[in-house]
Amino acid sequence: MSDAGDNGPHGPRKGTSDMKRKTKITLAALSAALVVLSAAPRLVQAEDSQTIALKDAIRTVVLHGDGTALKLTTHEGTTREALLITEDNIGCPLTSSVQADGDQLQISVEKGPMRIGFWCDPDVTLSLPEGLNLEIGLSNLAADIKGSFERVSIRTGQSVIDFDGRAAHFTLEGRRAAVRLNFPRDMPREAVELDVDTILSQVTFNGV
């Protein structure tokens, strides 16, 4: 986004320049707030861990539902298992469900009705076999994603995303986002699509 405003007969139009500055300040504040809040220590009330055997037909993992703080990695090997860990934080309960549907493993996360405080972003940790498609559709997202995927598609309202990995294609859609993305050097630049209304981004191609 450029600092230059639209030029009128007497120089830059003040309203346009002010609007751009406000947009920058608003997004910067949003990004900083999401980073701080997603990293803030939480009082864990309960943790649920489950290992999910994946049939050979499963090619896509779909994560959808309410806003979540997500840590996602992939693992090597021939064992087709997913490890899902969800954490209920005090004042911020979380329920999850897992269902296989054709070639998809669908994971749904939903916050409980009884919440304490204005910020409720339960923790989800997920480990997947390499080479799967990943589809994320959450209302809001703070994510640390590392690994090797086939296709990654993320749709969310507001997000802070740190991605360091490999994907044949990467798509991000949303209203506001602050992202740091690192892909392999040989990844085609056109394979990365960012369709976000307002975005702060650092995109590099320094991976292996």
Side-chain angles (χ1 to χ4, degrees):
M1 182 181 294
S2 170
D3 285 328
D6 294 335
N7 290 327
H10 303 293
R13 294 185 182 129
K14 184 174 184 299
T16 302
S17 180
D18 286 348
M19 181 178 67
K20 290 182 177 180
R21 281 197 294 269
K22 288 178 181 178
T23 300
K24 285 184 176 181
I25 293 171
T26 300
L27 181 57
L30 169 66
S31 174
L34 286 175
V35 170
V36 169
L37 289 169
S38 64
R42 295 176 172 85
L43 298 176
V44 177
Q45 184 178 31
E47 180 180 285
D48 179 61
S49 175
Q50 55 181 312
T51 300
I52 307 159
L54 303 180
K55 296 180 179 180
D56 292 340
I58 299 296
R59 298 305 310 158
T60 301
V61 173
V62 180
L63 176 63
H64 59 92
D66 290 331
T68 299
L70 172 67
K71 181 174 182 180
L72 194 155
T73 58
T74 63
H75 53 263
E76 299 177 353
T78 58
T79 302
R80 287 177 57 82
E81 290 182 344
L83 175 62
L84 174 65
I85 301 174
T86 58
E87 293 182 359
D88 282 348
N89 300 306
I90 292 179
C92 187
L94 175 72
T95 59
S96 63
S97 62
V98 178
Q99 177 181 350
D101 183 8
D103 66 349
Q104 293 186 350
L105 179 73
Q106 298 186 1
I107 302 172
S108 175
V109 293
E110 183 178 354
K111 299 172 186 176
M114 300 298 294
R115 307 177 196 173
I116 300 174
F118 73 96
W119 185 263
C120 179
D121 218 9
D123 296 335
V124 174
T125 302
L126 183 60
S127 177
L128 301 172
E130 290 184 337
L132 294 175
N133 298 316
L134 175 65
E135 295 184 8
I136 297 176
L138 297 170
S139 57
N140 296 295
L141 175 66
D144 178 10
I145 303 174
K146 293 180 172 62
S148 178
F149 307 89
E150 178 62 24
R151 176 174 51 83
V152 176
S153 174
I154 301 174
R155 295 177 178 85
T156 182
Q158 298 181 138
S159 60
V160 175
I161 300 172
D162 187 353
F163 179 93
D164 187 359
R166 175 179 292 274
H169 195 273
F170 183 97
T171 303
L172 172 64
E173 299 178 19
R175 295 193 306 273
R176 299 182 181 90
V179 300
R180 180 171 59 187
L181 312 174
N182 185 40
F183 302 102
R185 296 181 179 89
D186 59 354
M187 182 170 179
R189 303 319 190 244
E190 61 271 17
V192 179
E193 297 185 35
L194 305 180
D195 184 9
V196 181
D197 295 337
T198 312
I199 187 170
L200 289 175
S201 64
Q202 176 184 329
V203 182
T204 55
F205 296 83
N206 298 323
V208 295

